[in-house]
């Protein structure tokens, strides 16, 4: 029985999809969520910068919050920094779980035709992380990858079903509609909030897959395999930290996550190690 | 980079289905397989006895073979001893992965109707481990559970497609055929070797799901999250230990697993701790 919290981080609100799945699957676990809203979006930034931000937050979660496991609930950060964050956290006995492989496995299973699309930020798609993970996992599917710049910004403003986001989705997803995929992996944790719009554009025949549920299952597995699980009989709590404006984080975050997000605390990172 | 081997154990040959999946998914990992053929089958034995055997083997793998992770490639042992084995191994920094939850997740995903059948040994089914895992995972499926005593013995004799095993399958699976399941989880690592016979009896419309692939994915995830993965660029080796007759283990094992099983070594367990 290990009552330490699980740490989850994202550039902003996207990781709340993973937090939601984890709270539902592991109701006995305490959760600390970090949304780096002051520095979002991560998608268009250089890989080295995203890696630095991710290291700072992981160090904060491990050293200051005393978490027992870190979830990188951001595809861009997983794509550029997973190996590095594992190396950083493991000396503390803290495993690190990303969102790319779980999502890819779920999509491969959901596809009948073997033609799977992946949409993500420019950073995620440009990293080649999805084709690389496909090769490592040996999954028998063909991938069509497409960057969707702009989607994250709409979610971070709380606009998930407006006409503007629909117009953007029509334009961005046009090349994907020609790819004849039967499954579309939402390769960014923000995108599930746009699922209705994306589904309208792609058509009802295309199955949308998010990484959130599968990532939560993986977290549960890692906790269980290393005797890190909390007490399933006692309710877990959730705390939320933001590097940006706390009122707007709380207001929009509650709308996206649900009532567990009652308030947010400021994220104050230690100065970077030299 | 961690070049220590992964330990896998089963009552006999069943766990070779998991070993096969793991060797294919993680070609850079060394593997030590233990088949406790001198004491198989585990299925009809009292739970306490299976737990004792499982503890002895896990201790051997951790203390004598120096493994970095233990896979309980036996549903009966997972059902009765998973929590205990995790507690035993974790002080050594060794995670333990079982086969029940991975298989159940795969079956739930494969089912369209939500009616899933599970077949297993008397020990596994009687333990209630599957309905319990279903509750913990919060999966939205109905389970029909059925014990199939006798299947394991056929596999351990190398009889996988004879008339006799077909007759037994007809008789044992009759109640399952009335359950209108669209997916049948092979809740015993021996059963994939009987897949053709089971599929003939259940009908082509019923999807058969084994735990092997999903368990291998989970092992890969746990290794990756804790910086325990081996060197993907260097080929892993496989060693096989048996508590029973080595010649017959090698002969039948090679037929079931493939050419990696060239020879077997004797399993000599330390006397139980007092």
């Amino acid at each position: 029985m290990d009552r330490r919290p699980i740490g989850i981080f994202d550039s902003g609100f996207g990781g709340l999809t993973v937090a939601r799945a984890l709270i539902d699957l592991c109701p006995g676990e305490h959760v600390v969520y970090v949304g780096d809203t002051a520095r979002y979006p991560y998608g268009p930034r250089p890989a080295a910068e995203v890696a630095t931000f991710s290291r700072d937050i992981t160090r904060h979660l491990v050293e200051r919050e005393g978490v027992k496991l870190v979830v990188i609930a951001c595809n861009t950060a997983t794509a550029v920094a997973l190996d590095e964050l594992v190396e950083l956290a493991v000396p503390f006995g803290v495993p690190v779980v990303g969102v790319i492989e779980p999502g890819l496995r779920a999509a491969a299973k959901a596809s009948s035709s073997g033609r799977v699309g992946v949409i993500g930020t420019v950073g995620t798609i440009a990293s080649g992380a999805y084709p690389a993970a496909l090769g490592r996992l040996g999954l028998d599917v063909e991938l069509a990858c497409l960057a969707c710049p702009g989607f994250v910004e709409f979610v971070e403003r709380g606009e998930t079903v407006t006409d503007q986001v629909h117009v953007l989705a029509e334009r961005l997803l046009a090349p994907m509609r020609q790819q004849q995929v039967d499954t579309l992996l939402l390769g960014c944790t923000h995108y599930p909030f746009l699922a209705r719009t994306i589904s309208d554009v792609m058509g009802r025949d295309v199955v949308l897959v998010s990484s959130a549920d599968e990532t939560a299952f993986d977290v549960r597995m890692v906790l269980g395999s290393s005797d890190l699980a909390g007490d399933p009989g006692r309710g877990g709590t959730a705390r939320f930290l933001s590097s940006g404006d706390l009122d707007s984080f709380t207001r929009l975050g509650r709308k996206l996550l649900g009532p567990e997000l009652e308030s947010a605390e400021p994220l104050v990172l230690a100065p970077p190690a030299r």
Side-chain angles (χ1 to χ4, degrees), chain A:
Chain A
M1 210 74 82
D2 190 323
R3 300 289 292 162
R4 288 177 298 163
I6 296 167
I8 308 178
F9 79 89
D10 178 49
S11 63
F13 296 104
L16 293 175
T17 57
V18 181
R20 178 76 267 159
L22 200 57
I23 290 169
D24 292 340
L25 184 66
C26 307
E29 299 295 342
H30 300 302
V31 163
V32 179
Y33 182 92
V34 167
D36 193 10
T37 37
R39 301 190 289 188
Y40 101 90
Y42 283 7
R45 290 182 189 271
E49 194 174 31
V50 173
T52 301
F53 294 172
S54 302
R55 274 199 307 273
D56 292 348
I57 295 172
T58 299
R59 203 174 284 121
H60 177 86
L61 286 169
V62 171
E63 295 182 355
R64 311 276 288 267
E65 300 291 341
V67 302
K68 60 185 175 185
L69 184 146
V70 171
V71 185
I72 316 174
C74 170
N75 297 65
T76 310
T78 302
V80 303
L82 174 59
D83 292 348
E84 200 176 328
L85 300 185
V86 168
E87 275 179 37
L88 188 162
V90 159
F92 298 89
V94 174
V96 177
V97 173
V99 287
I100 287 182
E101 290 194 6
L104 200 49
R105 283 160 49 193
K109 273 175 222 149
S111 174
S112 305
S113 70
R115 295 271 310 151
V116 171
V118 182
I119 54 175
T121 66
V122 171
T124 300
I125 299 301
S127 72
Y130 275 97
L134 188 73
R136 283 195 307 271
L137 293 174
L139 296 167
D140 188 23
V141 297
E142 276 181 89
L143 273 195
C145 299
L146 181 70
C148 291
F151 274 180
V152 168
E153 288 75 359
F154 274 92
V155 173
E156 294 279 330
R157 283 204 301 271
E159 280 192 52
T160 56
V161 289
T162 61
D163 287 347
Q164 285 91 329
V165 74
H166 192 94
V167 168
L168 179 67
E170 288 274 7
R171 184 165 62 74
L172 289 175
L173 294 171
M176 187 57 80
R177 291 179 61 184
Q178 300 179 337
Q179 292 285 338
Q180 308 286 329
V181 301
D182 71 346
T183 304
L184 183 65
L185 174 55
L186 307 179
C188 170
T189 50
H190 285 74
Y191 295 180
F193 295 123
L194 303 174
R196 217 171 93 194
T197 300
I198 293 169
S199 181
D200 283 348
V201 172
M202 290 300 297
R204 298 287 160 194
D205 294 345
V206 175
V207 178
L208 301 189
V209 173
S210 101
S211 314
D213 288 345
E214 196 78 7
T215 301
F217 280 125
D218 277 353
V219 169
R220 194 176 183 287
M221 159 64 52
V222 172
L223 292 177
S225 70
S226 297
D227 209 17
L228 293 172
D231 183 350
R234 291 173 59 184
T237 58
R239 286 173 54 224
F240 299 87
L241 281 61
S242 165
S243 58
D245 181 72
L246 297 183
D247 281 346
S248 58
F249 183 87
T250 305
R251 199 171 53 248
L252 179 53
R254 187 187 300 140
K255 189 175 138 192
L256 296 170
L257 178 96
E260 287 87 350
L261 207 171
E262 288 177 0
S263 62
E265 304 163 40
L267 172 70
V268 183
L269 295 173
R274 286 290 143 209

